[in-house]
Amino acid sequence: MQQLTFDVEGRGAGTTHRLTSFNFGDPSARLRLYVQGGLHADEAPGMIAARMLCGRLEALEAEGRLTGHVCVVPVANPIGLSQFALGQQEGRFDNYDGKNFNRFYPDLGTGAIRRVEGSLTADIVSNVKTIRQALRAELTHWRASTPADRLRKVLMSLAIDADYVLDLHCDGEAEVHLYTQPAFAQVFAPLSAHLGARAVLLAEISGDYPFDEAVARPWIDIARAFPDVPIPLSCASSTVELRGRKDVDRGVAERDAAAIVRFLAHQGFIDGELDPLPEPLCEATPLAGSEALVAPLAGLLAFTRDLGDVVLADEIVAEIVDPLSGAVTPVKATTSGVFYARADTRIAETGKRIGKIAGKQPYRDGLLLSP
């Protein structure tokens, strides 16, 4: 194991935020995985799972069974981890400018297309090397002027050469679910099965350029720009939502880490026999078909359906109770699917997103993720 640290200059004179990565296996290995937790720094399940993963990888390395290289960043957002207001941590948005830490990553594909034009050949291996050099060059020249952008740049520099990228998050209250691009649905099917995911949500463009898309989408864009040369999609990425904010448990995190290790084995990172693939608990569905239930008015929030339930269109999923009059307003699903996530607070304001249902039919466009 090799531990590396990176300093990110803060806003105040003399202030810095330190980022730590743990690296396992041969850095020159053919296969590379990047894993991070806590990009939204108020989401602890991903951080503890990443930490548990480090222990398993260290053991595999000591046994000589790790054939690929794995970089793990358990705490991907030291800036957000330091933000507190009125006794509460705010790790999703930068307190300075209000921007989501998992949005607004640079589009490296457009510039990389210009850089590789005329340099690609019929040699797949050579093309992958050329494209990765171009992506690194684009990232190097990206001007990151704020601490949050400098953090984004460091994180992308760690992931830019990876074949697989896992960004570990959680929701308010939720079943395990994954976000990825349609091209990678089959790639992450073993991970979904081993984690027991209840939803896998697919979108090539979800909006505002989150981390997982920023590292993978350039390969899709470059392949489309040069259809006459062989260009494999050499970075498959997924945002993995490990249940809800309160689901921080060492035993559960150990099982999540074990599931990730089994996924690694399926991808050829580990010597030894593969564990049997469990029966998947869901099929992939379009993110554009995921319904965000919205509170129509303010009041007390009471759910009438449990997470993991399959609900039908027009079924009541929650109720908003007026604490003064006692009036009850039902919130109904307009699509059928798995009720996979919901708010972790029980006081609703008008327009609050209170739950998510994984529907099979796309009906939304534009920005598909919550702010």
Side-chain angles (χ1 to χ4, degrees), residues 32-268:
R32 302 176 67 85
L33 169 76
Y34 174 78
V35 183
Q36 67 182 21
L39 182 55
H40 287 149
D42 51 359
E43 298 177 359
M47 289 189 271
I48 190 171
R51 180 56 256 178
M52 295 301 180
L53 178 62
C54 287
R56 288 181 174 267
L57 291 171
E58 192 168 13
L60 288 166
E61 187 178 48
E63 295 167 4
R65 296 178 56 204
L66 190 61
T67 60
H69 179 265
V70 182
C71 175
V72 183
V73 178
V75 181
N77 186 0
I79 298 174
L81 202 60
S82 69
Q83 294 183 158
F84 290 85
L86 303 178
Q88 300 293 320
Q89 185 188 36
E90 176 49 74
R92 183 179 182 86
F93 303 100
D94 187 346
N95 278 352
Y96 187 81
D97 58 16
K99 289 184 177 180
N100 190 318
F101 284 110
N102 191 26
R103 306 288 188 272
F104 312 114
Y105 283 80
D107 172 10
L108 304 181
T110 301
I113 288 171
R114 292 193 294 266
R115 289 180 182 272
V116 302
E117 190 168 11
S119 301
L120 301 176
T121 69
D123 186 332
I124 293 179
V125 174
S126 174
N127 288 343
V128 170
K129 182 178 179 180
T130 297
I131 291 168
R132 284 187 169 146
Q133 289 174 341
L135 292 174
R136 285 194 296 270
E138 281 297 299
L139 182 60
T140 298
H141 286 86
W142 180 51
R143 296 186 63 183
S145 58
T146 69
D149 275 351
R150 288 193 284 272
L151 176 65
R152 290 181 176 96
K153 190 168 186 175
V154 170
L155 295 175
M156 288 196 71
S157 72
L158 294 172
I160 199 68
D161 289 333
D163 300 280
Y164 305 93
V165 172
L166 301 179
D167 190 10
L168 307 182
H169 287 253
C170 74
D171 214 303
E173 294 177 357
E175 297 284 314
V176 174
H177 55 285
L178 281 65
Y179 297 93
T180 190
Q181 298 186 315
F184 308 129
Q186 291 305 308
V187 173
F188 292 110
L191 179 63
S192 170
H194 282 300
L195 284 171
R198 296 303 311 278
V200 176
L201 303 155
L202 306 178
E204 187 170 307
I205 300 175
S206 60
D208 285 342
Y209 238 68
F211 179 83
D212 65 336
E213 288 184 19
V215 294
R217 211 172 91 198
W219 290 92
I220 296 173
D221 294 341
I222 294 169
R224 284 178 178 160
F226 303 101
D228 297 328
V229 295
I231 300 174
L233 303 183
S234 294
C235 180
S237 64
S238 175
T239 293
V240 181
E241 304 278 350
L242 296 175
R243 305 171 196 84
R245 282 193 179 87
K246 295 179 182 178
D247 294 316
V248 181
D249 178 279
R250 290 181 66 246
V252 173
E254 282 282 13
R255 291 194 292 273
D256 290 339
I260 294 173
V261 167
R262 293 186 185 105
F263 167 72
L264 286 178
H266 277 277
Q267 305 308 321

Side-chain angles (χ1 to χ4, degrees), residues 293 303 305-309 317 337-342 355-357:
L293 297 170
F303 289 101
R305 301 302 300 266
D306 292 328
L307 288 171
D309 285 354
V317 179
V338 176
F339 184 35
Y340 67 92
R342 65 188 187 186
K356 301 173 185 176
I357 299 170

